[in-house]
């Protein structure tokens, strides 16, 4: 059970309030509510979002419409009225619906940092780089107030904290060739670190909340310098603005991305033509990992080693990493050329690991499940299948979302994807809006098959 002294005192106070309301029992000298589970997903009935479920069922996805997906709070208005597209329910609506379902776990994505997504445009946010105070008082505080309602004391609330933020402070800042001016600003002003720290501290003070920080994916942070450097940024954020490492229950990998769980036909150290594929191929390109499970497990060990709790658990988003269908390899290539070998053997069929927007050919991955591998708390569908990553052309909107060329199928790339084609599907709507063509591909290419 992971409870620090500060956390225990806060949790005891919260539990006392709940006990006064008759909602929990308090044992002598301790509070039952203060004892967090090692794995909140174990034995849990996870909430199914009625908005997403209805849309999936009416769009040909009846077979998977009963699967749990995360709730995205991607702007202040989403707290009351739902996120983009067909999502109409606010946070309290979802929590009430979870109780009605008899669920005891709900997944919530905290996603509205100042200067959000400094290395991309498709999911830019509503808050400017300096609006930390608004993030804290206008966004985090109302979320905490709602979640802290005693009516929800028996819900395990898993929060996925600010995807695609902290890793940018390592990989997309000067003097890296992948730097953007926007990421340089966010590193200089510290508002990503301070914002994440505030979210961790405030949410972590609630006894039924389980915070998981986003750690990108193996194709982003799997290189030695990115891996180690990002770990230090995660630790810095976990000690910022009132937070401490005990406020972090775990980390989430591959959120809204496409990285395969396992590449069965090769590893980074596989030797082809006298050289390892790590050193000899443009796909692996000196990365230490070729898949998400090995990456998440290794990162877990590293994070524990630098000061996080030994009981950390990892979540891997499997909503779009199945890569099934007719192009899925069934055996290792027999080629003695390293690049040919990897390209003919890999399950991940993207043009480049840096491609992240509405990828053509992707399929639904493993269905959500608890404790699927050592150190992994869950496979989860954090990104609801069928919701766009970003528009393939510029679309006027009031959601703060820009047009990112990585969502344009005609785009020939940038240094972050080694100047390859984007691999994106055409005719995509704004991020978070329903993308029927993508949903149909995900169903058709699902692995395991539907």
């Amino acid at each position: 059970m992971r409870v620090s002294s500060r956390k225990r005192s806060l949790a005891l106070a919260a539990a006392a309030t709940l006990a006064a309301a008759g909602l929990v029992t308090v044992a002598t000298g301790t509070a039952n509510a203060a004892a967090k589970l090692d794995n909140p997903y174990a034995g849990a009935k996870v909430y199914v979002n009625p908005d997403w479920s209805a849309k999936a069922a009416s769009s040909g996805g009846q077979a998977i419409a009963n699967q749990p997906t995360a709730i995205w709070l991607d702007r202040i208005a989403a707290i009351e009225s739902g996120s983009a597209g067909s999502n109409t329910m606010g946070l309290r609506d979802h929590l009430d619906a979870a109780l009605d379902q008899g669920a005891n776990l709900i997944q919530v994505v905290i996603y509205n940092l100042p200067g959000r997504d400094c290395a991309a445009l498709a999911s830019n946010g509503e808050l400017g780089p300096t609006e930390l105070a608004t993030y804290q008082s206008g966004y985090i505080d109302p979320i905490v107030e709602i979640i802290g309602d005693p009516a929800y004391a028996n819900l395990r609330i898993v929060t996925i904290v600010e995807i695609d933020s902290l890793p940018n402070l390592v990989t997309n800042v000067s003097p890296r060739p992948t730097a953007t001016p926007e990421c340089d600003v966010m590193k200089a002003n510290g508002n990503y670190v301070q914002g994440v720290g505030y979210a961790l501290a405030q949410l972590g003070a609630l006894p039924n909340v389980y915070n998981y920080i986003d750690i990108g994916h193996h194709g982003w942070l799997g290189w030695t310098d990115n891996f180690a450097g990002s770990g230090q940024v995660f630790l810095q954020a976990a000690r910022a603005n009132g937070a401490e490492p005990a406020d972090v229950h775990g980390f989430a990998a591959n959120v809204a991305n496409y990285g395969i769980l396992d590449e069965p036909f090769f590893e980074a150290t596989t030797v082809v033509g006298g050289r390892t594929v790590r050193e000899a191929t443009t796909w692996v390109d000196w990365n230490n990992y070729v898949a998400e499970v090995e990456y998440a497990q290794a990162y877990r060990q590293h994070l524990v080693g630098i000061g996080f709790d030994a009981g950390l658990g990892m979540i891997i988003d499997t909503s779009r990493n199945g890569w099934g269908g007719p192009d899925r390899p069934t055996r290792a290539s027999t080629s003695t050329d390293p690049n040919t070998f990897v390209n003919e053997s890999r399950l991940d069929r993207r043009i480049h690991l840096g491609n992240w927007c509405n990828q053509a050919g992707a399929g639904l991955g493993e269905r959500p499940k608890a404790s699927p591998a050592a150190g992994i708390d869950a496979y989860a569908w954090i990104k609801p299948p069928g919701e766009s990553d970003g528009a393939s052309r510029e679309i006027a909107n009031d959601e703060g979302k820009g047009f990112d060329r990585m969502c344009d199928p005609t785009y020939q790339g940038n240094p972050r994807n080694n100047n390859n084609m984007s691999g994106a599907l055409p005719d995509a709507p704004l991020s978070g809006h329903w993308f029927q063509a993508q949903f149909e591909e995900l169903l058709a290419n699902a692995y395991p098959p539907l």
Side-chain angles (χ1 to χ4, degrees), residues 371-385:
S371 307
I376 310 299
D377 281 353
Y379 295 154
W381 285 6
I382 304 303
K383 174 73 173 182

Side-chain angles (χ1 to χ4, degrees), residues 8-35 153-154 207:
R8 178 170 291 280
S9 63
L10 290 169
L12 285 169
T17 300
L18 299 180
L23 292 164
V24 300
T25 58
V26 180
T28 303
T30 62
N32 291 345
N154 292 323

Side-chain angles (χ1 to χ4, degrees), residues 69-424:
T69 55
I71 308 308
W72 286 62
L73 301 180
D74 58 359
R75 51 184 175 155
I76 292 172
I79 300 171
E80 295 296 331
S81 59
S83 61
S86 57
N87 295 298
T88 62
M89 299 169 65
L91 176 57
R92 190 177 292 277
D93 297 327
H94 284 297
L95 294 169
D96 289 340
L99 296 179
D100 291 342
Q101 285 182 14
N104 62 359
L105 187 150
I106 185 171
Q107 304 164 109
V108 179
V109 178
I110 305 299
Y111 187 49
N112 200 31
L113 274 178
R116 188 178 75 192
D117 279 10
C118 60
L121 297 173
S123 47
N124 284 164
E126 64 185 348
L127 301 179
T130 64
E131 295 186 82
L132 178 63
T134 301
Y135 175 78
Q136 294 179 164
S137 64
Y139 177 71
I140 294 297
D141 288 354
I143 292 172
V144 171
E145 182 179 2
I146 293 171
I147 290 176
D149 188 321
Y152 311 125
N154 292 323
L155 282 174
R156 309 169 195 177
I157 300 174
V158 167
T159 57
I160 313 299
V161 179
E162 296 295 354
I163 65 169
D164 295 342
S165 59
L166 298 177
N168 279 320
L169 301 183
V170 173
T171 64
N172 295 316
V173 294
S174 298
R176 296 284 188 101
T178 53
T180 70
E182 293 81 3
C183 289
D184 282 340
V185 167
M186 299 318 299
K187 182 175 182 179
N189 70 21
N191 283 346
Y192 276 8
V193 168
Q194 293 299 311
V196 170
Y198 188 82
L200 293 172
Q202 301 306 311
L203 291 163
L206 298 174
N208 58 329
V209 171
Y210 298 80
N211 288 322
Y212 291 77
I213 300 177
D214 177 69
I215 56 166
H217 53 87
H218 84 274
W220 186 359
L221 301 184
W223 287 269
T224 300
D225 52 350
N226 293 351
F227 192 90
S230 295
Q232 290 301 315
V233 174
F234 300 143
L235 187 61
Q236 181 186 7
R239 291 172 172 166
N241 215 350
E244 58 185 44
D247 290 312
V248 181
H249 201 80
F251 290 80
N254 203 46
V255 176
N257 210 267
Y258 298 85
I260 200 78
L261 286 175
D262 177 59
E263 287 286 5
F265 305 127
F266 67 95
E267 301 173 347
T269 55
T270 298
V271 175
V272 179
R275 294 188 295 167
T276 67
V277 298
R278 178 175 181 265
E279 64 180 315
T281 70
T282 56
W283 178 258
V284 184
D285 191 27
W286 296 97
N287 200 317
N288 293 310
Y289 308 97
V290 298
E292 292 301 314
V293 171
E294 61 175 359
Y295 165 74
Q297 289 173 329
Y299 220 139
R300 179 186 177 280
Q301 293 181 339
H302 174 70
L303 292 163
V304 170
I306 64 173
F308 284 98
D309 192 283
L312 285 180
M314 313 299 275
I315 297 170
I316 301 176
D317 188 348
T318 60
S319 58
R320 305 183 301 176
N321 71 345
W323 294 104
D327 294 331
R328 182 182 176 93
T330 58
R331 60 180 178 82
S333 170
T334 58
S335 176
T336 57
D337 175 76
N339 276 302
T340 302
F341 172 86
V342 167
N343 287 332
E344 291 181 350
S345 301
R346 58 184 171 91
L347 302 187
D348 187 335
R349 305 311 300 169
R350 283 178 290 178
I351 297 170
H352 188 271
L353 277 171
N355 289 357
W356 54 267
C357 194
N358 300 324
Q359 290 299 284
L364 299 169
E366 287 279 354
R367 312 319 173 241
K369 65 175 68 174
S371 307
I376 310 299
D377 281 353
Y379 295 154
W381 285 6
I382 304 303
K383 174 73 173 182
E387 293 189 2
S388 174
D389 294 321
S392 53
R393 59 181 177 82
E394 190 164 358
I395 298 176
N397 68 93
D398 61 358
E399 299 172 23
K401 296 168 182 175
F403 168 51
D404 195 299
R405 290 297 306 279
M406 286 297 290
C407 301
D408 175 358
T410 70
Y411 184 49
Q412 298 181 21
N414 57 48
R416 289 185 291 283
N417 81 331
N418 203 24
N419 296 299
N420 281 279
M421 297 296 292
S422 71

Side-chain angles (χ1 to χ4, degrees), residues 1-16:
M1 297 177 182
R2 314 171 203 177
V3 186
S4 70
S5 58
R6 182 182 75 86
K7 288 288 296 155
R8 178 170 291 280
S9 63
L10 290 169
L12 285 169

